Amino acid sequence: MVGVVPFLDLPAQQRRLGAALRERMERVLTHCCFVMGPEVVELEARLALYGGARHAVAVSSGTDALLTVLMAEGIGPGMAVFLPAFTYTATAEVVLLLGAKPVFVDVEADSFQLSLASLQARVAAVKQAGEVVPKAIIGVDLFGQPAPWDALKSFATQEGLTLIADCAQSFGAAYKGRKLGHEAMATTLSFFPSKPLGCYGDGGAILTDDDDKAALYRSLRSHGEGQQRYEVQRIGLNARLDSLQAAVLLSKLDVFEEELQRREAVARAYDAGLPSLITSPARVAESQSAWAVYCVKLPSLSLRESLRQHLTQAQIATAIYYPKPLHHQPAYQACHDGVPLPVSESLGEYVLALPIHPDLTDEAVDYVIRESQTWAREQHEAE
Ligand SMILES: *Cc1c(COP(=O)(O)O)cnc(C)c1O
């Protein structure tokens, strides 16, 4: 008996990171440069290198990263921004905060990533209606896997739309042999503790190859500051990153590749061991997942609920991402045009996320697999 299998194990992570983590944090307590200190400068250099981008601009969260990028593009009233309906609320929230219109796009049933066919249809419809001007696409790298970037890039170029990557869940993943970080004009990251690269609070970053945009993001994250201190060039935000969070992230980056390998090993063990009644996540072609989420599919809502209940009784934590697509959420209903997005609308009934994190032991993985097999046998016997 393994006992409890948590969805995320931050105490175990802290023990594994050990003294190195505390030393880095101790250094911040010594220099007392708590906001945008030397750790932030070091972190930005390492993030840029890792993601293969010229610049990394550290910010206070993944949401503020998206907000900063949209502000830099001048997104506002009368403009449409296209994004998947099957994602976290932050992707759409920032569009509405700026007074623009989020246009929800459907996803693929197997990979859960943005559907190009749906995107094409949605852009064409918005152009024809002529009420708002199509401006940008936010491609979301969902659950650790990349969005279909090659297709998105050629479509965005053809339509003259700005392409933004919401990579909050997938930093560390690779697409066509290269780490994510430069597929779009700007790539936004989140370091919320549950993301593949997480800090111990809120944090985020923006990666870009564009020198002018990087300078603009730096100004926007600090109240629109100009070249001089207290020179206010534009309306901005307080979206800076704390040095303590950067210190945590520097420690985590030292072991990031090992963690990604461990997540991959857990995913492969699940793939091989789960019963056939449970469909393992489909892989995006030519990619390597960062495995933020291992999301399986069940044949029906009742089977999903029954498996979830069985695992809960066995003290195995699970989660449902996402029970409801964004356009069905109270906050977004009014801005949706009523067009059906059938895949996003039905996925909530079938999906179930199993625990996947670098501190999951082999025993815990075997236990999750065994319990899933026990459950599947009970289903067959009940037939
Ligand atoms: C977590 C997340 C965000 C927001 O990141 P925060 O750091 O929590 O603000 C944005 N988009 C997606 C897809 C996310 O999963």
Side-chain angles (χ1 to χ4, degrees):
M1 217 13 223
V2 177
V4 183
V5 182
F7 207 69
L8 181 68
D9 195 347
L10 294 175
Q13 181 186 91
Q14 266 195 54
R15 288 194 295 277
R16 177 165 50 81
L17 293 172
L21 171 71
R22 281 170 179 73
E23 265 165 44
R24 286 231 188 232
M25 295 179 84
E26 198 67 47
R27 250 180 270 164
V28 178
L29 297 180
T30 306
H31 66 55
C32 288
C33 192
F34 290 123
V35 180
M36 300 293 302
E39 285 77 13
V40 175
V41 177
E42 189 183 344
L43 176 69
E44 287 183 337
R46 282 184 65 182
L47 290 174
L49 197 64
Y50 190 98
R54 276 173 65 82
H55 305 277
V57 179
V59 292
S60 44
S61 70
T63 307
D64 285 338
L66 283 166
L67 187 59
T68 303
V69 169
L70 294 182
M71 284 172 78
E73 295 307 307
I75 298 296
M79 301 176 189
V81 178
F82 300 83
L83 55 101
F86 192 68
T87 178
Y88 185 58
T89 179
T91 316
E93 186 178 29
V94 289
V95 176
L96 272 185
L97 277 173
L98 293 175
K101 184 181 167 65
V103 179
F104 297 104
V105 177
D106 212 355
V107 297
E108 299 288 351
D110 50 355
S111 70
F112 313 126
Q113 309 296 326
L114 199 71
S115 154
L116 185 71
S118 174
L119 177 65
Q120 288 167 335
R122 299 295 273 148
V123 172
V126 168
K127 276 171 45 179
Q128 197 177 13
E131 285 163 13
V132 283
V133 182
K135 278 287 172 189
I137 301 165
I138 306 180
V140 176
D141 299 302
L142 201 74
F143 296 163
Q145 298 208 83
W149 287 115
D150 281 0
L152 291 181
K153 274 186 268 191
S154 50
F155 180 70
T157 307
Q158 173 199 319
E159 295 288 331
L161 299 173
T162 301
L163 191 57
I164 298 161
D166 179 350
C167 190
Q169 300 182 3
S170 304
F171 193 52
Y175 180 64
K176 306 210 161 161
R178 292 174 71 193
K179 290 284 182 188
L180 292 185
H182 49 77
E183 300 297 339
M185 182 275 301
T187 298
T188 63
L189 311 179
S190 165
F191 306 128
F192 186 76
S194 63
K195 312 283 173 162
L197 180 65
C199 59
Y200 292 163
D202 280 304
I206 307 162
L207 304 182
T208 186
D209 282 337
D210 187 314
D211 300 348
D212 296 333
K213 290 281 161 65
L216 190 48
Y217 302 153
R218 288 180 196 285
S219 169
L220 285 168
R221 80 172 159 190
S222 199
H223 301 290
E225 202 169 72
Q227 295 297 322
Q228 317 291 318
R229 192 92 199 264
Y230 301 117
E231 180 199 356
V232 186
Q233 280 281 354
R234 53 185 65 81
I235 297 304
L237 302 165
N238 176 359
R240 297 173 296 238
L241 185 72
D242 290 350
S243 308
L244 277 169
Q245 298 306 339
V248 172
L249 288 164
L250 287 168
S251 269
K252 299 275 304 273
L253 269 172
D254 289 339
V255 298
F256 193 37
E257 284 308 304
E258 285 161 40
E259 291 195 340
L260 290 170
Q261 280 166 21
R262 179 61 195 157
R263 285 175 188 268
E264 175 68 24
V266 173
R268 288 191 185 188
Y270 281 157
D271 286 350
L274 290 174
S276 58
L277 203 51
I278 302 175
T279 306
S280 293
R283 307 298 200 271
V284 170
E286 295 181 77
S287 78
Q288 174 62 55
S289 181
W291 292 115
V293 174
Y294 186 90
C295 186
V296 302
K297 280 203 293 188
L298 278 298
S300 68
L301 175 62
S302 62
L303 285 168
R304 197 273 308 277
E305 288 306 299
S306 144
L307 172 61
R308 186 167 206 214
Q309 206 174 9
H310 180 97
L311 295 178
T312 303
Q313 269 160 15
Q315 297 199 292
I316 296 166
T318 59
I320 296 170
Y321 304 119
Y322 294 95
K324 238 188 212 188
L326 289 181
H327 62 294
H328 283 181
Q329 294 283 0
Y332 296 110
Q333 268 164 4
C335 69
H336 182 58
D337 53 14
V339 169
L341 304 170
V343 177
S344 303
E345 284 155 22
S346 67
L347 275 179
E349 298 184 7
Y350 306 118
V351 289
L352 189 68
L354 301 181
I356 188 164
H357 58 78
D359 296 288
L360 211 56
T361 61
D362 287 344
E363 293 70 36
V365 174
D366 289 344
Y367 176 60
V368 175
I369 291 170
R370 260 199 330 276
E371 285 300 327
S372 303
Q373 286 169 345
T374 303
W375 169 81
R377 268 197 306 276
E378 285 169 11
Q379 303 314 305
H380 289 307
E381 280 158 17
E383 264 172 16

